[in-house]
Amino acid sequence: MATLLRSKLSNVATSVSNKSQAKVSGMFARMGFQAATDEEAVGFAHCDDLDFEHRQGLQMDILKSEGEPCGDEGAEPPVEGDIHYQRGGGAPLPPSGSKDQALGAGGEFGGHDKPKITAWEAGWNVTNAIQGMFVLGLPYAILHGGYLGLFLIIFAAVVCCYTGKILIACLYEENEDGEVVRVRDSYVAIANACCAPRFPTLGGRVVNVAQIIELVMTCILYVVVSGNLMYNSFPGLPVSQKSWSIIATAVLLPCAFLKNLKAVSKFSLLCTLAHFVINILVIAYCLSRARDWAWEKVKFYIDVKKFPISIGIIVFSYTSQIFLPSLEGNMQQPSEFHCMMNWTHIAACVLKGLFALVAYLTWADETKEVITDNLPGSIRAVVNIFLVAKALLSYPLPFFAAVEVLEKSLFQEGSRAFFPACYGGDGRLKSWGLTLRCALVVFTLLMAIYVPHFALLMGLTGSLTGAGLCFLLPSLFHLRLLWRKLLWHQVFFDVAIFVIGGICSVSGFVHSLEGLIEAYRTNAED
């Protein structure tokens, strides 16, 4: 009997001791210390393993620190100091919006020493992407679409702004406490979550391929338009268009040394300033000929064969979804993302619509693929120099994003990587990493030389990957991940965008491909 009594007293004492340790641990945690009991140590070890796996490339939902004793119902809830555990006993990890990789869909959680950008800098990046060189092809879209082309410029702005927001919404989920937390860091992570558990990596591979095509094609178009503009600006010089493209590529080689988004933001600011100068010069010339504007040429009917190409041009001019997750994650205040998207797309819609309409009214049926080719020689040289400067300054953003996707997919450290990491332990770029970046610059040059058709390439890319990444996939992912929380009108919008985007994508791709084949046949005959 005495033995049984001593046993019970011992159990009670042990229980009281454990609970006391739990309360002391919670108190120390609030003070910023990680005072762990034996059971907490087991939890931390488990968290350490998860953190190690995550750094090897596995995509985790969110690392929850076991700041409370495992299995004790009366334990204190986890506190802020214990939520993010870092291997090696270092400081807590930053919020999951941070990136170890600055841009591109392959960013990791935990890049707390990467520079953050403000909402204005993020807006400059988006503005540079959706108001870039490709505005030069919009008057050509009005030529084949008339008033319907103007409507599509507005419609595409509204849809792309909406799909950008719902894409970012797919990065977040509610935790057990009802708080909205960022559990994914990229477009690829969203795609993998949609295809899990049967095909956990299929969606990411599809998105990676589409992203790389989109980004590399954007770089190619910048090189194409640079060579074309310089050749038309100085036709008297004994320099061919291919040679001008080579010169432009030589200027772009330093892009291989870019390391973070902060430098790209500075380029974007310069690009936006150059863009406004170009618009002012072109619109000023068009206004000087306002008396000759051909309003009667703006038609309500469309060219059935050419208009699908125009759809691809318009959609491609609004493409920015591929790097929105990284931009939002790199913002100092991610809550300002929606406001940033609104004002950037409203500004883009107004400026694009006015530019396209005024330019078309000035030249009507003589409107060319690149509108600056319609300008008289004296003005054309000045405008084209600004355009080339803008193209060269716009190149780093898609290039940097493409490099990040490739490095994440093929060269990142971990068991799933196909090749060794591009960065050493000290953070410096290794030789093969630099070789990869230089090879990508040279590849864009070769493609620009052998496929020098600006409008057709733009329409083809917009129809193939632009519509997919901006219309189809965001609406599909939104339905898949947030189906239970969507209202009926949100479901309707997502389904309508998916259907319309699918039709535009297929028709635009087919007609753009036919246009390229016809262009090659014409060149062969000449």
Side-chain angles (χ1 to χ4, degrees):
M1 185 69 177
T3 303
L4 180 61
L5 182 60
R6 283 196 300 269
S7 176
K8 289 184 177 181
L9 289 175
S10 177
N11 290 338
V12 171
T14 301
S15 177
V16 171
S17 176
N18 287 340
K19 290 184 178 179
S20 299
Q21 281 185 317
K23 292 183 179 179
V24 171
S25 174
M27 181 181 66
F28 273 97
R30 289 189 181 91
M31 297 173 62
F33 297 94
Q34 292 183 348
T37 63
D38 291 339
E39 289 180 311
E40 284 177 311
V42 174
F44 279 137
H46 177 61
C47 186
D48 187 74
D49 290 336
L50 291 180
D51 183 73
F52 179 75
E53 291 178 349
H54 173 70
R55 291 173 183 277
Q56 293 299 320
L58 295 177
Q59 296 183 0
M60 310 300 299
D61 284 344
I62 182 171
L63 297 180
K64 296 182 179 178
S65 171
E66 283 71 26
E68 54 181 331
C70 301
D72 282 342
E73 296 180 357
E76 297 287 339
V79 295
E80 185 66 25
D82 278 343
I83 289 179
H84 300 292
Y85 176 73
Q86 189 173 13
R87 186 177 181 85
L93 289 173
S96 56
S98 307
K99 301 286 185 300
D100 185 52
Q101 306 292 339
L103 183 64
E108 293 283 345
F109 293 115
H112 57 283
D113 33 344
K114 289 293 182 180
K116 292 287 186 176
I117 61 176
T118 65
W120 283 101
E121 289 175 323
W124 286 125
N125 277 290
V126 174
T127 299
N128 180 49
I130 64 179
Q131 299 215 124
M133 296 293 296
F134 312 113
V135 71
L136 301 177
L138 293 181
Y140 186 74
I142 303 299
L143 172 66
H144 298 297
Y147 287 108
L148 185 56
L150 286 174
F151 169 76
L152 281 177
I153 291 175
I154 301 173
F155 177 77
V158 174
V159 172
C160 288
C161 183
Y162 172 77
T163 55
K165 293 177 181 178
I166 64 175
L167 183 67
I168 297 303
C170 293
L171 298 173
Y172 292 83
E173 288 186 3
E174 289 186 2
N175 60 13
E176 296 176 354
D177 298 328
E179 299 175 347
V180 178
V181 294
R182 202 174 200 262
V183 297
R184 303 178 187 95
D185 67 331
S186 65
Y187 210 140
V188 171
I190 295 172
N192 285 334
C194 289
C195 294
R198 291 188 176 181
F199 307 101
T201 61
L202 177 62
R205 291 175 181 175
V206 172
V207 170
N208 269 338
V209 171
Q211 284 181 337
I212 292 173
I213 294 175
E214 176 92 3
L215 294 166
V216 172
M217 288 300 295
T218 302
C219 295
I220 293 170
L221 286 169
Y222 284 138
V223 178
V224 169
V225 76
S226 297
N228 178 271
L229 292 173
M230 291 302 294
Y231 177 74
N232 291 327
S233 299
F234 306 100
L237 295 179
V239 182
S240 64
Q241 180 174 338
K242 294 181 179 180
S243 299
W244 281 117
S245 297
I246 294 173
I247 295 173
T249 305
V251 175
L252 294 171
L253 275 177
C255 292
F257 299 93
L258 286 174
K259 290 185 177 181
N260 57 60
L261 188 60
K262 197 74 176 178
V264 178
S265 297
K266 296 177 182 178
F267 288 132
S268 297
L269 175 60
L270 295 175
C271 288
T272 305
L273 295 176
H275 176 77
F276 284 124
V277 172
I278 294 165
N279 279 356
I280 290 172
L281 291 174
V282 175
I283 292 177
Y285 176 80
C286 293
L287 291 176
S288 68
R289 296 184 53 187
R291 294 182 179 179
D292 300 327
W293 282 358
W295 285 97
E296 69 280 0
K297 295 291 185 178
V298 186
K299 49 188 178 294
F300 286 94
Y301 63 89
I302 62 175
D303 185 334
V304 178
K305 186 175 181 180
K306 297 290 183 65
F307 184 65
I309 302 175
S310 301
I311 296 176
I313 293 174
I314 294 172
V315 171
F316 188 73
S317 70
Y318 281 105
T319 301
S320 65
Q321 273 74 357
I322 47 181
F323 54 83
L324 287 183
S326 291
L327 276 178
E328 191 264 353
N330 278 274
M331 290 176 63
Q332 295 174 0
Q333 299 292 336
S335 59
E336 298 177 351
F337 177 81
H338 279 211
C339 179
M340 181 272 295
M341 288 290 289
N342 289 337
W343 67 258
T344 52
H345 283 75
I346 290 173
C349 176
V350 173
L351 292 176
K352 285 181 178 182
L354 289 176
F355 182 87
L357 179 60
V358 169
Y360 176 74
L361 290 174
T362 303
W363 289 287
D365 294 338
E366 297 179 0
T367 301
K368 298 181 180 180
E369 291 186 11
V370 180
I371 194 60
T372 54
D373 288 341
N374 289 104
L375 292 171
S378 57
I379 302 177
R380 185 192 310 164
V382 177
V383 172
N384 283 354
I385 289 175
F386 276 103
L387 285 173
V388 171
K390 177 173 173 56
L392 298 179
L393 292 172
S394 299
Y395 186 95
L397 182 62
F399 174 81
F400 186 60
V403 167
E404 288 293 318
V405 174
L406 288 173
E407 290 178 351
K408 163 78 175 178
S409 304
L410 302 177
F411 295 88
Q412 190 181 32
E413 274 214 66
S415 58
R416 298 190 308 168
F418 293 95
F419 304 101
C422 292
Y423 293 92
D426 55 356
R428 293 185 179 181
L429 192 65
K430 294 182 180 179
S431 57
W432 55 81
L434 183 60
T435 302
L436 167 69
R437 295 178 174 216
C438 294
L440 187 58
V441 175
V442 174
F443 176 75
T444 59
L445 167 65
L446 295 177
M447 289 294 295
I449 290 176
Y450 290 105
V451 192
H453 302 284
F454 179 76
L456 292 175
L457 278 177
M458 186 175 170
L460 180 67
T461 308
S463 300
L464 179 61
T465 60
L469 293 172
C470 295
F471 289 4
L472 303 180
L473 294 183
S475 57
L476 182 63
F477 294 164
H478 196 225
L479 289 171
R480 173 69 175 83
L481 294 176
L482 302 176
W483 171 260
R484 297 180 182 273
K485 301 178 182 179
L486 298 181
L487 301 177
W488 69 268
H489 66 274
Q490 293 175 311
V491 175
F492 174 78
F493 289 155
D494 290 347
V495 173
I497 290 172
F498 184 84
V499 173
I500 295 173
I503 295 173
C504 293
S505 177
V506 173
S507 61
F509 175 76
V510 171
H511 287 87
S512 297
L513 196 59
E514 289 178 351
L516 280 174
I517 295 174
E518 183 178 349
Y520 273 107
R521 288 177 179 174
T522 303
N523 292 338
E525 291 175 358
D526 294 340

